[in-house]
Amino acid sequence: MIREAKRRLKSERESERCEAVELLSQIGHVSGTELLAQQLERETSAYVRRRIIRILGEMRNHRTALMVSRLLSSSEAAVRNGALEILCSLQKVALPVLAELMTEESRDLRKMAVEALGAIACEEAFPLLVTALRDDDPNVAAGAVESLGRHGDGRAVPYLRALLQRSISAWLAFAVIEALTQLGDAAAMEDIDRYLRQSGGTSRERAALAGIWAVAAGKLGFREQLPQAWELYLSGELTSREMIMLMSQWQQRGIDVGPSHGPMETLIAQQLEQGGREESLAAAHLAAQNLPHLLYIHLPLLSERIGKEEEGLNELIVPLLKAGPSASRVTALLDGADSSMKRLLLSVAERSMLILPLERLRAYAGDSDLSIVRLAVAQAWRCGSEAEEFLAEMTHHRDPETVLSALSGLGLLGGEKSNPLLLKALEHSDSRIRRQAIDTLTMIGTPGLHHELKRRMDHCPEKFWPDILEVMTAQEEAPLAEAFLRASLVADREIRSQVARICRLIRRDDAFLSVMETLANDPEPEVRRMAITSLAARSGDGVYRILAYLYEHDPCTSHRYYIFTCSEIYRHRETFDWLVENLEQPDRLLQLAAVRGMTKMGAAGRDYLEAFLDSLPNDDEELKQIIGQELDRNGGYTLDANS
């Protein structure tokens, strides 16, 4: 195989070289590993190179690490990168080789060894990285710093703090501060502050250091750093963006940055006017807490810049809610507002439960933007009974979502016009609107509606009867049995099936059982199945009587599976015989249902299952496993040694 692989590796065809790589991966011998490493160094195809890298990375042994490490000295960047990737994939087995590389004279080799250690998350990599912190080359030391920060191991904090206290280059200090920030130890902020005060350097270096300090202070610092932050900002070392993001991070951590410094207002206003999305939102949150008037002044500009899309709208709502909006302020801002501003303000009013003038909401109900119409209608009910006529008008709107809001508002008001409109909505062509009417009418529970509901059944198409019946179940005085029996005799099978499902809502047992007796004799299997699922939620001798009738006379034997899910049957001795009957027939689904049912029959059921299990032939492994698992779930069962 080695000879054949060598021959194919020399081929000009990429496919043959790939075949050679696969052959060598199967050999599992040191000679194959060596050939793969050699091929990686001279391979010109990126596709073949990727396959070699993957295969060598899966050969997790010291020999692979040793052979691959030699490729780190290659003059080709692709080869060096491939070798580095393989060493990272080898994980723990590469550590001895990487430890040797850390002692090489070449700083490039040491740097690559540190990079590989950074990708190996194991206990043994930690001391090697700590040792690399003392490397004479700042690039190597910085690589070790970055790796320790990524690993998130808190043990690195004292070593990094000690490194920061030594006289090191600004570039290395930046890496240390960033790593300490990642590790999240607030005590390190003291050393970061000290370094900032003592460091010199050019103005450019100072500005870069101030920016990194701000990131660290935002995650690790406290209000004690606030005067220093303002000093850096006013001296020009800290940019307005860095300052606003620092304030924002502190605010998110619950640190009060307060308007105690005069420049705060200028800073916030500047970012509200000119900042990017992130900076503007940070400024908006700061303004909401400290200077809400600034937020309202700049709101039109923010709405235009950020609030046009739904995501931006939601992001702006949060600071506005925090600012404590009032109805008068929102109403004033609505004057002359564009569409995005209207959506924003109406959303804030809705979430803040503000009561806006009804005439304003009426005006917006004719807007071309449907989202504005919906928002206006959704909160009109807060205006009280005077909004009833407006909401009644909106139940005729072309937009179903608007109609839903109008019906919901009418239900909340509960005025004279509410019930007639809600009842009419029971015959709407949109199922969502019918559902809203059903939910609202049942929630209100207005007495005396059963006469109107019965009248509607007399005049509306049969397809709406199930929805009307669902509302009738909330009317205690309604003649439910008569209405349900009438609906259970319609010609449409789907309607009868819906009636069978809704029956479970009938609270009175006598009405429920009388309807169930009719549905249990329905000619359609689907209707009978739905009746069984409704019976499953009830108890009592009457329920058992109907279930027993269905068990004996339902021609669809698969319905027994649903009967076995009804808890009522397990209070009756006859159920034991049903379960035995179904255990001993070939339908696997019914056998499974019978097994589960037997465990609900107490000790007698368990004893029968254990005896039945012992009597099963060896070739029925599936049923044996089913019974064994069910017994295990219900108290455990130990098979006989000879079973």
Side-chain angles (χ1 to χ4, degrees), residues 96-266:
V97 170
L98 294 174
E100 286 294 320
L101 288 172
M102 296 284 290
T103 64
E104 290 284 343
E105 288 188 16
S106 168
R107 68 175 185 181
D108 292 333
L109 288 175
R110 300 200 306 276
K111 179 69 167 62
M112 284 187 280
V114 166
E115 286 183 34
L117 286 169
I120 299 174
C122 69
E123 184 72 21
E124 292 83 353
F126 179 78
L128 293 173
L129 288 170
V130 169
T131 301
L133 293 177
R134 298 191 293 270
D135 199 284
D136 294 335
D137 188 274
N139 284 300
V140 178
V145 168
E146 291 167 3
S147 295
L148 288 168
R150 283 197 304 273
H151 281 190
D153 191 333
R155 294 177 301 166
V157 170
Y159 297 102
L160 294 172
R161 291 180 67 178
L163 179 59
L164 190 61
Q165 290 171 12
R166 296 200 296 270
S167 178
I168 56 176
S169 69
W171 183 71
L172 181 54
F174 296 166
V176 174
I177 293 171
E178 187 176 10
L180 287 169
T181 304
Q182 286 177 298
L183 293 169
D185 191 326
M189 198 64 214
E190 179 183 347
D191 295 307
I192 297 171
D193 279 340
R194 185 184 301 112
Y195 185 85
L196 177 66
R197 288 192 300 270
Q198 295 176 353
S199 64
T202 65
S203 58
R204 187 173 181 178
E205 288 176 335
R206 287 283 301 172
L209 178 58
I212 294 172
W213 173 89
V215 172
K219 294 183 178 179
L220 308 178
F222 294 95
R223 205 173 192 280
E224 288 75 13
Q225 274 82 35
L226 185 58
Q228 188 174 7
W230 281 113
E231 182 181 334
L232 291 168
Y233 171 64
L234 295 173
S235 69
E237 293 176 274
L238 206 59
T239 67
S240 58
R241 183 192 187 281
E242 290 165 339
M243 187 65 179
I244 203 76
M245 298 312 295
L246 170 58
M247 300 289 110
S248 176
Q249 283 186 300
W250 276 342
Q251 184 188 50
Q252 290 170 27
R253 290 171 53 204
I255 299 171
D256 180 21
V257 295
S260 55
H261 288 76
M264 173 71 90
E265 186 166 353
T266 304

Side-chain angles (χ1 to χ4, degrees), residues 472-473 475-486 488 499 502-519 535 538 546:
M472 288 184 77
T473 58
Q475 303 289 307
E476 290 288 346
E477 71 275 28
L480 292 180
E482 177 187 340
F484 271 87
L485 285 171
R486 180 183 174 190
S488 66
V499 170
I502 296 168
C503 273
R504 70 190 70 184
L505 301 175
I506 302 175
R507 291 190 288 272
R508 285 175 44 200
D509 287 340
D510 57 342
F512 173 75
L513 292 173
S514 66
V515 179
M516 282 292 109
E517 286 174 355
T518 298
L519 292 170
L535 286 161
R538 308 295 279 259
I546 298 173

Side-chain angles (χ1 to χ4, degrees), residues 5 65 99 191 293 299 326 331 363 535 548 576 584 589 614 618:
D191 295 307
H293 69 281
L299 193 57
S326 65
T331 303
L535 286 161
F576 190 91
E584 296 175 349
L589 187 63
D614 291 338
N618 291 330

